[in-house]
Amino acid sequence: MLSLQTHELFESIRAGNIAKVKELVEAHPQLLNEVSISGATPILFALYNGQRQIADLLATKRPLDIFEAASVGKLDRVREL
């Protein structure tokens, strides 16, 4: 079961509310490490929901894993991993 903050983050991503997403991750940086019910990280969830601007914002907030790096086009990070 997702915590209330985690649920709020994923709902804000789905709705395209970049201001709320930014507010949540700045107040609770650990949310960047959460996963959705489907197992997607916030970055991948944003991409799956057509929210590229949010994905790009989130991609600046922590080191990307290989899947996230490939998805947002960070080829230097892909090579590094």
Side-chain angles (χ1 to χ4, degrees):
M1 179 147 213
L2 299 178
S3 73
L4 181 58
Q5 290 168 336
T6 302
H7 178 75
E8 188 174 12
L9 173 65
F10 286 106
E11 286 303 311
S12 296
I13 292 169
R14 185 187 322 272
N17 188 341
I18 195 167
K20 185 64 175 180
V21 170
K22 187 175 181 180
E23 175 188 319
L24 285 166
V25 298
E26 287 178 359
H28 310 283
Q30 75 279 5
L31 289 174
L32 293 167
N33 299 315
E34 296 293 328
V35 294
S36 69
I37 292 171
S38 64
T41 65
I43 293 167
L44 293 177
F45 187 83
L47 291 171
Y48 298 157
N49 283 276
Q51 302 296 341
R52 179 61 192 233
Q53 188 177 11
I54 292 174
D56 289 342
L57 168 73
L58 296 175
T60 67
K61 301 293 184 183
R62 67 167 180 76
L64 304 177
D65 68 25
I66 194 161
F67 305 108
E68 294 165 332
S71 295
V72 296
K74 301 291 184 184
L75 299 181
D76 289 343
R77 178 69 175 155
V78 171
R79 286 184 198 100
E80 177 186 321
L81 293 169

